[in-house]
Amino acid sequence: MTLRNALVGTLAVVSLAACGTTTPSADNGKIQVVTSTNVWGSVIKAVGGDAVEVKALLDDPSADPHSYESKPADAALIKDAKLVVFNGGGYDDFFPKLITTEDQKKIEAFPLREHANDENEHVWYDLHTVRAVAEAAANELGAIAPDKKTTFESNTANFSAKLEELEKKVDGSGKGRKVVATEPIAHYLLAESGAEDVTPEAFSKAIEEESDVPAAALAATNQLVENKQVNVLIDNTQTENQVTKGIVEKAKTANIPVVAVTETLPEGVTGYLDWMSKQVDALSQALKA
């Protein structure tokens, strides 16, 4: 989904609690990193460990990320950071606009995706891209703190090995299965699984753009679910509305498995691998049902 420039509402800039972060301090000896979301913050924390202190601008698991409005304090955080990390691809357009220093060390995830022709911006669900971001982080952090470079590389190797385990688990698990999604958040996971996303394009586009769903698209989506023409419904619980709630209820009535996905780490999750492992397990089990 695209984060718009003219946005309403404000989310507080809070610590990345799921990654064990606190308020940045200039004298605590840690590398200060600012990320657009706590998802990318958790990846950086996995690489940097105790050597980094991460601040995520989007960290509220109950809020719609698309209602975020940046503040002057955000720009100050980014200016003081040794490294900044954001998604790109139109998802968090507010973030790069806050970068005012040309030599700011930064990592943008979207350009690192494996398939350059795939324009879906939700690349934190692409395990290949996540690995690339982790490797880029190891390089950048190693340049900032050469004495810890070996540690960063070791952390990245361990992180990447666990990503590979997840890839093996999801690879091909959805072949021959059809899914419908309230939004194309888990696009890359579904592609990895081999499942076919049959969601009407007009439905997905309207939900992403937060506009009214065309009657024909809504009817077609409802029919897919009510007639059990799909095996799984993927639901982005973080940006629910009356239309998506209705689709979920119809899926439950039809006994179609519903897999919940989110755009940021849920409360209480320890890190990226913990979060993604649970989502991969839920998706794989649903596709096999």
Side-chain angles (χ1 to χ4, degrees):
M1 263 182 210
T2 301
L3 285 171
R4 298 170 177 77
N5 295 335
L7 300 169
V8 294
T10 300
L11 294 178
V13 177
V14 292
S15 297
L16 185 57
C19 296
T21 61
T22 57
T23 302
S25 170
D27 58 1
N28 64 4
K30 296 188 177 184
I31 302 171
Q32 306 302 310
V33 182
V34 176
T35 64
S36 61
T37 71
N38 64 2
V39 173
W40 293 119
S42 67
V43 174
I44 302 306
K45 186 65 178 175
V47 173
D50 293 336
V52 299
E53 192 156 33
V54 183
K55 200 72 165 171
L57 301 188
L58 291 170
D59 197 9
D60 188 340
S62 64
D64 181 351
H66 312 96
S67 65
Y68 188 79
E69 183 176 321
S70 61
K71 303 175 292 297
D74 296 345
L77 282 172
I78 289 175
K79 182 179 179 181
D80 293 339
K82 295 295 185 181
L83 174 66
V84 297
V85 183
F86 61 103
N87 192 82
Y91 182 78
D92 45 10
D93 281 345
F94 71 93
F95 195 92
K97 293 176 181 178
L98 297 174
I99 301 174
T100 58
T101 305
E102 290 186 6
D103 60 353
Q104 175 84 67
K105 285 186 176 296
K106 58 183 178 292
I107 298 172
E108 182 179 1
F110 186 71
L112 300 179
R113 66 197 187 286
E114 186 175 34
H115 303 290
N117 61 338
D118 196 326
E119 294 301 313
N120 187 291
E121 69 269 29
H122 308 107
V123 292
W124 61 93
Y125 275 99
D126 180 8
L127 302 177
H128 303 283
T129 300
V130 173
R131 181 190 294 109
V133 170
E135 292 172 349
N139 288 334
E140 295 291 357
L141 293 173
I144 296 169
D147 60 315
K148 298 182 176 66
K149 182 177 177 61
T150 301
T151 298
F152 299 146
E153 291 175 345
S154 176
N155 290 345
T156 300
N158 292 334
F159 182 76
S160 296
K162 292 178 181 177
L163 285 178
E164 289 179 9
E165 292 176 8
L166 291 180
E167 288 172 8
K168 291 177 182 179
K169 183 177 293 188
V170 74
D171 183 30
S173 62
K175 286 183 178 179
R177 313 294 275 177
K178 294 182 178 182
V179 305
V180 66
T182 58
E183 297 182 67
I185 302 298
H187 166 79
Y188 291 101
L189 272 188
L190 290 176
E192 188 84 12
S193 76
E196 180 184 3
D197 186 348
V198 296
T199 311
E201 184 178 351
F203 179 90
S204 295
K205 183 178 180 180
I207 295 297
E208 279 203 283
E209 296 179 350
E210 299 180 36
S211 60
D212 292 335
V213 178
L218 180 57
T221 305
N222 284 334
Q223 186 176 37
L224 287 171
V225 175
E226 293 172 337
N227 294 345
K228 296 187 177 183
Q229 295 175 309
V230 294
N231 304 102
V232 177
L233 170 66
I234 309 296
D235 179 40
N236 179 9
T237 60
Q238 205 157 334
T239 56
E240 287 182 330
N241 58 33
Q242 291 305 311
V243 171
T244 62
K245 287 180 180 179
I247 296 293
V248 169
E249 286 305 314
K250 291 182 189 310
K252 291 179 178 178
T253 299
N255 291 318
I256 293 174
V258 178
V259 177
V261 295
T262 58
E263 299 184 50
T264 56
L265 295 181
E267 186 176 356
V269 174
T270 59
Y272 180 86
L273 289 170
D274 180 37
W275 174 58
M276 192 53 59
S277 179
K278 291 176 181 178
Q279 299 205 92
V280 165
D281 285 344
L283 177 61
S284 298
Q285 290 172 13
L287 288 170
K288 294 175 183 178

